[in-house]
Amino acid sequence: MNTLLFLVNNTVAMAFFSMLLSSLYLRILLQIMGQSWIKTIAHTATLVLLPLIVYVITNLISGNIALSLGMVGALSIVRFRNPVRSPLELSVYFGAITVGIAAAVDLKWLAFLVGSVSFVAITLYVINLITSRMGNPFFITSFAEGNSLSTLKVVSTQSLEELNKSKLLISKSSTENEYVYVLASSNFDSLKQLDVDLYKLVGITSTELHQ
């Protein structure tokens, strides 16, 4: 009996530390990839707590049909009610849930999940790094991706071909007498230099630079 309790406690402890380390590792990986939204205490706590909660639920309902049905009813009431800003954020939540399920079933699946996510993240990072140095980034800059971006708003009385072709351009609007351009970059200095250079162009009425 003591041996059985030792094995159970040992398994739970291994699962707990595996989930904790996996969550913290995924959090660091997301931060390295430029996902600044994960730095908040709410997102970090969610990423750490979700696997633990799902692990307990998975073990509670395994082999108990009545409890499983009751849990399904409870989970249909308790849902995520905060808005998800990007598909990646939603994938992170599902990933955290899967970490808990994998830890409850077999730690080998948890290792496979973390390894696969790492491989995909590193591959995409290297591809984007190489293509950026070639002058044609694989990814576009987007607020929806949760990156920390500086912005430059430019107001002009005429269309500016230099900005129309800029890779930093994220939005453009125009009226009969006014053109408004919004450019974004994670490099504040590049936008600051662009702000200085823009006043050499004809038609610029105002610019707003935000870090």
Side-chain angles (χ1 to χ4, degrees):
M1 188 67 174
N2 292 333
T3 304
L4 180 60
L5 288 175
F6 173 78
L7 291 175
V8 171
N9 292 334
N10 193 40
T11 301
V12 172
M14 286 182 59
F16 172 79
F17 285 109
S18 297
M19 288 185 290
L20 182 62
L21 292 175
S22 297
S23 298
L24 293 176
Y25 169 75
L26 292 175
R27 193 267 191 201
I28 295 171
L29 185 63
L30 285 167
Q31 184 176 339
I32 293 175
M33 295 295 290
Q35 301 299 313
S36 59
W37 54 269
I38 199 64
K39 295 180 183 179
T40 66
I41 187 171
H43 285 93
T44 301
T46 300
L47 185 59
V48 173
L49 290 175
L50 262 182
L52 300 176
I53 295 171
V54 173
Y55 176 82
V56 173
I57 292 175
T58 303
N59 281 281
L60 283 175
I61 67 177
S62 59
N64 191 324
I65 298 178
L67 188 58
S68 300
L69 294 175
M71 192 63 68
V72 169
L75 292 178
S76 65
I77 300 173
V78 182
R79 300 177 298 170
F80 289 109
R81 294 190 177 275
N82 62 302
V84 177
R85 296 188 300 175
S86 72
L88 178 60
E89 187 176 349
L90 183 61
S91 299
V92 170
Y93 290 149
F94 275 113
I97 292 172
T98 307
V99 167
I101 296 174
V105 176
D106 195 330
L107 290 179
K108 290 187 293 184
W109 285 107
L110 177 58
F112 173 78
L113 174 65
V114 174
S116 300
V117 170
S118 300
F119 176 77
V120 171
I122 293 172
T123 300
L124 293 177
Y125 181 80
V126 171
I127 291 175
N128 190 56
L129 184 65
I130 294 174
T131 54
S132 295
R133 291 183 177 180
M134 296 173 61
N136 187 25
F138 189 70
F139 301 109
I140 62 172
T141 303
S142 170
F143 288 105
E145 298 300 322
N147 297 307
S148 295
L149 300 174
S150 300
T151 61
L152 175 61
K153 180 181 177 181
V154 181
V155 180
S156 173
T157 57
Q158 62 186 43
S159 179
L160 302 173
E161 194 62 27
E162 292 84 352
L163 296 185
N164 290 330
K165 295 180 179 179
S166 175
K167 295 177 180 178
L168 303 179
L169 182 66
I170 60 170
S171 72
K172 173 186 174 183
S173 60
S174 62
T175 60
E176 187 176 348
N177 300 316
E178 186 178 75
Y179 292 82
V180 179
Y181 298 87
V182 178
L183 301 98
S185 174
S186 57
N187 188 337
F188 177 75
D189 292 333
S190 65
L191 284 182
K192 188 176 181 180
Q193 183 59 48
L194 179 60
D195 187 26
V196 174
D197 296 338
L198 283 175
Y199 276 98
K200 300 175 184 177
L201 302 177
V202 178
I204 301 291
T205 57
S206 66
T207 61
E208 294 180 18
L209 182 61
H210 299 280
Q211 188 171 14

